[in-house]
mmCIF file of all heavy atoms in Angstrom:
data_model
loop_
_atom_site.group_PDB
_atom_site.id
_atom_site.type_symbol
_atom_site.label_atom_id
_atom_site.label_comp_id
_atom_site.label_asym_id
_atom_site.label_seq_id
_atom_site.Cartn_x
_atom_site.Cartn_y
_atom_site.Cartn_z
ATOM 1 N N SER A 240 45.573 9.568 -12.228
ATOM 2 C CA SER A 240 45.541 9.189 -13.674
ATOM 3 C C SER A 240 46.218 10.265 -14.523
ATOM 4 O O SER A 240 45.862 11.440 -14.499
ATOM 5 C CB SER A 240 44.117 8.995 -14.186
ATOM 6 O OG SER A 240 43.556 7.916 -13.523
ATOM 7 N N ILE A 241 47.273 9.880 -15.201
ATOM 8 C CA ILE A 241 47.986 10.786 -16.132
ATOM 9 C C ILE A 241 47.336 10.574 -17.505
ATOM 10 O O ILE A 241 47.360 9.498 -18.089
ATOM 11 C CB ILE A 241 49.519 10.517 -16.130
ATOM 12 C CG1 ILE A 241 50.033 10.885 -14.793
ATOM 13 C CG2 ILE A 241 50.184 11.376 -17.242
ATOM 14 C CD1 ILE A 241 51.494 10.494 -14.619
ATOM 15 N N CYS A 242 46.770 11.665 -18.035
ATOM 16 C CA CYS A 242 45.926 11.534 -19.263
ATOM 17 C C CYS A 242 46.427 12.326 -20.418
ATOM 18 O O CYS A 242 45.948 12.162 -21.520
ATOM 19 C CB CYS A 242 44.510 12.069 -18.878
ATOM 20 S SG CYS A 242 43.773 11.188 -17.503
ATOM 21 N N THR A 243 47.429 13.212 -20.237
ATOM 22 C CA THR A 243 48.026 13.924 -21.340
ATOM 23 C C THR A 243 49.587 13.881 -21.265
ATOM 24 O O THR A 243 50.078 13.857 -20.134
ATOM 25 C CB THR A 243 47.504 15.387 -21.403
ATOM 26 O OG1 THR A 243 48.067 16.042 -20.221
ATOM 27 C CG2 THR A 243 46.052 15.471 -21.448
ATOM 28 N N PHE A 244 50.214 13.883 -22.421
ATOM 29 C CA PHE A 244 51.633 13.912 -22.485
ATOM 30 C C PHE A 244 52.053 14.584 -23.769
ATOM 31 O O PHE A 244 51.697 14.028 -24.843
ATOM 32 C CB PHE A 244 52.221 12.485 -22.406
ATOM 33 C CG PHE A 244 53.687 12.404 -22.161
ATOM 34 C CD1 PHE A 244 54.255 12.232 -20.875
ATOM 35 C CD2 PHE A 244 54.661 12.615 -23.199
ATOM 36 C CE1 PHE A 244 55.615 12.167 -20.674
ATOM 37 C CE2 PHE A 244 55.978 12.571 -22.969
ATOM 38 C CZ PHE A 244 56.449 12.345 -21.721
ATOM 39 N N HIS A 245 52.666 15.751 -23.743
ATOM 40 C CA HIS A 245 53.055 16.467 -24.959
ATOM 41 C C HIS A 245 54.465 16.932 -24.950
ATOM 42 O O HIS A 245 54.979 17.428 -23.943
ATOM 43 C CB HIS A 245 52.118 17.679 -25.096
ATOM 44 C CG HIS A 245 50.636 17.380 -25.106
ATOM 45 N ND1 HIS A 245 50.059 16.799 -26.221
ATOM 46 C CD2 HIS A 245 49.718 17.489 -24.181
ATOM 47 C CE1 HIS A 245 48.756 16.605 -25.955
ATOM 48 N NE2 HIS A 245 48.515 17.015 -24.713
ATOM 49 N N GLY A 246 55.149 16.745 -26.040
ATOM 50 C CA GLY A 246 56.499 17.181 -26.195
ATOM 51 C C GLY A 246 57.103 16.847 -27.521
ATOM 52 O O GLY A 246 56.833 15.824 -28.085
ATOM 53 N N GLY A 247 57.964 17.745 -28.019
ATOM 54 C CA GLY A 247 58.692 17.466 -29.297
ATOM 55 C C GLY A 247 57.936 18.014 -30.514
ATOM 56 O O GLY A 247 56.745 18.105 -30.570
ATOM 57 N N THR A 248 58.794 18.266 -31.562
ATOM 58 C CA THR A 248 58.277 18.766 -32.820
ATOM 59 C C THR A 248 58.747 17.986 -34.023
ATOM 60 O O THR A 248 58.172 18.070 -35.076
ATOM 61 C CB THR A 248 58.706 20.278 -33.005
ATOM 62 O OG1 THR A 248 60.131 20.385 -32.915
ATOM 63 C CG2 THR A 248 58.029 21.130 -31.931
ATOM 64 N N ALA A 249 59.822 17.184 -33.782
ATOM 65 C CA ALA A 249 60.321 16.428 -34.885
ATOM 66 C C ALA A 249 61.011 15.119 -34.337
ATOM 67 O O ALA A 249 61.378 15.128 -33.145
ATOM 68 C CB ALA A 249 61.329 17.209 -35.710
ATOM 69 N N LYS A 250 61.192 14.102 -35.190
ATOM 70 C CA LYS A 250 61.712 12.847 -34.731
ATOM 71 C C LYS A 250 63.194 12.885 -34.455
ATOM 72 O O LYS A 250 63.744 11.846 -33.955
ATOM 73 C CB LYS A 250 61.339 11.739 -35.678
ATOM 74 C CG LYS A 250 59.799 11.505 -35.742
ATOM 75 C CD LYS A 250 59.427 10.446 -36.791
ATOM 76 C CE LYS A 250 57.924 10.223 -36.789
ATOM 77 N NZ LYS A 250 57.470 9.236 -37.807
ATOM 78 N N ASN A 251 63.900 13.910 -34.884
ATOM 79 C CA ASN A 251 65.321 13.951 -34.645
ATOM 80 C C ASN A 251 65.721 15.127 -33.762
ATOM 81 O O ASN A 251 66.882 15.612 -33.814
ATOM 82 C CB ASN A 251 66.062 14.027 -35.979
ATOM 83 C CG ASN A 251 65.700 15.265 -36.822
ATOM 84 O OD1 ASN A 251 64.787 16.000 -36.513
ATOM 85 N ND2 ASN A 251 66.525 15.540 -37.795
ATOM 86 N N ILE A 252 64.753 15.697 -33.016
ATOM 87 C CA ILE A 252 65.019 16.844 -32.132
ATOM 88 C C ILE A 252 64.666 16.480 -30.692
ATOM 89 O O ILE A 252 63.467 16.040 -30.453
ATOM 90 C CB ILE A 252 64.290 18.097 -32.544
ATOM 91 C CG1 ILE A 252 64.710 18.512 -33.993
ATOM 92 C CG2 ILE A 252 64.601 19.206 -31.581
ATOM 93 C CD1 ILE A 252 63.870 19.680 -34.532
ATOM 94 N N ILE A 253 65.571 16.500 -29.827
ATOM 95 C CA ILE A 253 65.274 16.323 -28.398
ATOM 96 C C ILE A 253 64.596 17.591 -27.870
ATOM 97 O O ILE A 253 65.147 18.682 -27.943
ATOM 98 C CB ILE A 253 66.555 16.045 -27.548
ATOM 99 C CG1 ILE A 253 67.172 14.717 -27.973
ATOM 100 C CG2 ILE A 253 66.202 16.007 -26.084
ATOM 101 C CD1 ILE A 253 68.515 14.484 -27.389
ATOM 102 N N PRO A 254 63.301 17.460 -27.338
ATOM 103 C CA PRO A 254 62.607 18.724 -26.947
ATOM 104 C C PRO A 254 63.191 19.320 -25.690
ATOM 105 O O PRO A 254 63.673 18.631 -24.804
ATOM 106 C CB PRO A 254 61.174 18.180 -26.669
ATOM 107 C CG PRO A 254 61.377 16.805 -26.362
ATOM 108 C CD PRO A 254 62.494 16.275 -27.190
ATOM 109 N N ALA A 255 63.126 20.659 -25.614
ATOM 110 C CA ALA A 255 63.614 21.320 -24.445
ATOM 111 C C ALA A 255 62.528 21.388 -23.359
ATOM 112 O O ALA A 255 62.868 21.669 -22.193
ATOM 113 C CB ALA A 255 64.098 22.743 -24.847
ATOM 114 N N GLU A 256 61.315 21.075 -23.769
ATOM 115 C CA GLU A 256 60.235 21.194 -22.761
ATOM 116 C C GLU A 256 59.190 20.102 -23.036
ATOM 117 O O GLU A 256 58.835 19.882 -24.186
ATOM 118 C CB GLU A 256 59.595 22.581 -22.820
ATOM 119 C CG GLU A 256 58.551 22.902 -21.788
ATOM 120 C CD GLU A 256 58.105 24.301 -21.792
ATOM 121 O OE1 GLU A 256 59.010 25.201 -21.483
ATOM 122 O OE2 GLU A 256 56.919 24.619 -22.074
ATOM 123 N N VAL A 257 58.687 19.543 -21.979
ATOM 124 C CA VAL A 257 57.622 18.534 -22.069
ATOM 125 C C VAL A 257 56.595 18.808 -21.005
ATOM 126 O O VAL A 257 56.904 19.204 -19.895
ATOM 127 C CB VAL A 257 58.240 17.102 -21.867
ATOM 128 C CG1 VAL A 257 57.069 16.060 -21.818
ATOM 129 C CG2 VAL A 257 59.138 16.746 -23.008
ATOM 130 N N THR A 258 55.295 18.590 -21.352
ATOM 131 C CA THR A 258 54.226 18.738 -20.345
ATOM 132 C C THR A 258 53.403 17.479 -20.252
ATOM 133 O O THR A 258 53.228 16.763 -21.276
ATOM 134 C CB THR A 258 53.275 19.916 -20.679
ATOM 135 O OG1 THR A 258 52.672 19.611 -21.978
ATOM 136 C CG2 THR A 258 54.052 21.234 -20.834
ATOM 137 N N PHE A 259 52.961 17.194 -19.078
ATOM 138 C CA PHE A 259 52.028 16.094 -18.857
ATOM 139 C C PHE A 259 51.049 16.478 -17.723
ATOM 140 O O PHE A 259 51.353 17.358 -16.928
ATOM 141 C CB PHE A 259 52.726 14.768 -18.557
ATOM 142 C CG PHE A 259 53.567 14.694 -17.329
ATOM 143 C CD1 PHE A 259 52.967 14.356 -16.103
ATOM 144 C CD2 PHE A 259 54.890 15.099 -17.294
ATOM 145 C CE1 PHE A 259 53.680 14.274 -14.924
ATOM 146 C CE2 PHE A 259 55.689 15.048 -16.130
ATOM 147 C CZ PHE A 259 55.073 14.650 -14.986
ATOM 148 N N GLY A 260 49.885 15.821 -17.751
ATOM 149 C CA GLY A 260 48.946 16.214 -16.746
ATOM 150 C C GLY A 260 47.823 15.182 -16.598
ATOM 151 O O GLY A 260 47.788 14.165 -17.336
ATOM 152 N N GLY A 261 46.969 15.402 -15.644
ATOM 153 C CA GLY A 261 45.926 14.374 -15.431
ATOM 154 C C GLY A 261 44.980 14.793 -14.284
ATOM 155 O O GLY A 261 44.805 15.945 -13.934
ATOM 156 N N SER A 262 44.353 13.785 -13.703
ATOM 157 C CA SER A 262 43.303 13.914 -12.709
ATOM 158 C C SER A 262 43.674 13.153 -11.423
ATOM 159 O O SER A 262 44.301 12.053 -11.505
ATOM 160 C CB SER A 262 42.025 13.354 -13.314
ATOM 161 O OG SER A 262 40.960 13.324 -12.350
ATOM 162 N N ILE A 263 43.243 13.749 -10.324
ATOM 163 C CA ILE A 263 43.443 13.079 -8.992
ATOM 164 C C ILE A 263 42.122 13.010 -8.218
ATOM 165 O O ILE A 263 41.400 14.017 -8.168
ATOM 166 C CB ILE A 263 44.488 13.827 -8.167
ATOM 167 C CG1 ILE A 263 45.888 13.725 -8.848
ATOM 168 C CG2 ILE A 263 44.565 13.239 -6.756
ATOM 169 C CD1 ILE A 263 46.942 14.489 -8.158
ATOM 170 N N ARG A 264 41.786 11.831 -7.702
ATOM 171 C CA ARG A 264 40.563 11.686 -6.953
ATOM 172 C C ARG A 264 40.931 11.149 -5.563
ATOM 173 O O ARG A 264 41.723 10.217 -5.418
ATOM 174 C CB ARG A 264 39.629 10.721 -7.676
ATOM 175 C CG ARG A 264 39.358 10.960 -9.127
ATOM 176 C CD ARG A 264 38.596 12.253 -9.324
ATOM 177 N NE ARG A 264 38.477 12.618 -10.682
ATOM 178 C CZ ARG A 264 37.312 12.584 -11.382
ATOM 179 N NH1 ARG A 264 36.197 12.228 -10.728
ATOM 180 N NH2 ARG A 264 37.246 12.942 -12.631
ATOM 181 N N CYS A 265 40.346 11.756 -4.538
ATOM 182 C CA CYS A 265 40.597 11.289 -3.160
ATOM 183 C C CYS A 265 39.298 11.183 -2.413
ATOM 184 O O CYS A 265 38.344 12.020 -2.628
ATOM 185 C CB CYS A 265 41.455 12.385 -2.393
ATOM 186 S SG CYS A 265 43.110 12.682 -3.119
ATOM 187 N N GLN A 266 39.192 10.168 -1.579
ATOM 188 C CA GLN A 266 38.021 9.991 -0.774
ATOM 189 C C GLN A 266 38.068 10.808 0.524
ATOM 190 O O GLN A 266 36.981 11.232 1.022
ATOM 191 C CB GLN A 266 37.859 8.523 -0.391
ATOM 192 C CG GLN A 266 37.272 7.667 -1.492
ATOM 193 C CD GLN A 266 35.852 7.919 -1.804
ATOM 194 O OE1 GLN A 266 35.137 8.516 -0.999
ATOM 195 N NE2 GLN A 266 35.396 7.582 -2.957
ATOM 196 N N SER A 267 39.230 11.061 1.090
ATOM 197 C CA SER A 267 39.270 11.758 2.370
ATOM 198 C C SER A 267 39.976 13.139 2.186
ATOM 199 O O SER A 267 40.925 13.281 1.406
ATOM 200 C CB SER A 267 40.104 10.908 3.381
ATOM 201 O OG SER A 267 41.451 10.922 3.075
ATOM 202 N N PRO A 268 39.509 14.111 2.959
ATOM 203 C CA PRO A 268 40.154 15.405 2.999
ATOM 204 C C PRO A 268 41.652 15.317 3.405
ATOM 205 O O PRO A 268 42.505 16.117 2.913
ATOM 206 C CB PRO A 268 39.416 16.238 3.967
ATOM 207 C CG PRO A 268 38.044 15.578 3.936
ATOM 208 C CD PRO A 268 38.275 14.098 3.805
ATOM 209 N N ALA A 269 42.019 14.320 4.265
ATOM 210 C CA ALA A 269 43.315 14.271 4.717
ATOM 211 C C ALA A 269 44.303 13.832 3.584
ATOM 212 O O ALA A 269 45.344 14.482 3.415
ATOM 213 C CB ALA A 269 43.456 13.160 5.825
ATOM 214 N N SER A 270 43.916 12.926 2.774
ATOM 215 C CA SER A 270 44.732 12.513 1.603
ATOM 216 C C SER A 270 44.803 13.611 0.658
ATOM 217 O O SER A 270 45.930 13.953 0.032
ATOM 218 C CB SER A 270 44.186 11.265 0.954
ATOM 219 O OG SER A 270 44.318 10.135 1.754
ATOM 220 N N ARG A 271 43.673 14.316 0.378
ATOM 221 C CA ARG A 271 43.716 15.404 -0.522
ATOM 222 C C ARG A 271 44.649 16.557 -0.132
ATOM 223 O O ARG A 271 45.304 17.172 -0.966
ATOM 224 C CB ARG A 271 42.281 15.948 -0.722
ATOM 225 C CG ARG A 271 42.082 16.942 -1.849
ATOM 226 C CD ARG A 271 40.696 17.571 -1.827
ATOM 227 N NE ARG A 271 40.422 18.309 -2.988
ATOM 228 C CZ ARG A 271 39.639 19.363 -3.010
ATOM 229 N NH1 ARG A 271 39.133 19.826 -1.872
ATOM 230 N NH2 ARG A 271 39.454 20.047 -4.128
ATOM 231 N N SER A 272 44.749 16.743 1.148
ATOM 232 C CA SER A 272 45.624 17.854 1.678
ATOM 233 C C SER A 272 47.115 17.523 1.463
ATOM 234 O O SER A 272 47.923 18.465 1.465
ATOM 235 C CB SER A 272 45.303 18.153 3.138
ATOM 236 O OG SER A 272 45.693 17.100 3.949
ATOM 237 N N ARG A 273 47.428 16.263 1.357
ATOM 238 C CA ARG A 273 48.813 15.833 1.270
ATOM 239 C C ARG A 273 49.343 15.633 -0.157
ATOM 240 O O ARG A 273 50.522 15.839 -0.434
ATOM 241 C CB ARG A 273 49.015 14.436 1.941
ATOM 242 C CG ARG A 273 48.946 14.452 3.420
ATOM 243 C CD ARG A 273 49.249 13.030 3.927
ATOM 244 N NE ARG A 273 50.536 12.534 3.452
ATOM 245 C CZ ARG A 273 50.803 11.303 3.001
ATOM 246 N NH1 ARG A 273 49.810 10.420 2.969
ATOM 247 N NH2 ARG A 273 51.986 11.043 2.579
#
Side-chain angles (χ1 to χ4, degrees):
S240 294
I241 295 170
C242 304
T243 64
F244 192 99
H245 302 286
T248 56
K250 294 178 181 178
N251 63 346
I252 301 173
I253 296 172
E256 184 173 299
V257 172
T258 63
F259 63 89
S262 172
I263 294 177
R264 309 295 174 111
C265 300
Q266 282 290 341
S267 72
S270 290
R271 189 186 190 213
S272 68
R273 287 184 57 222

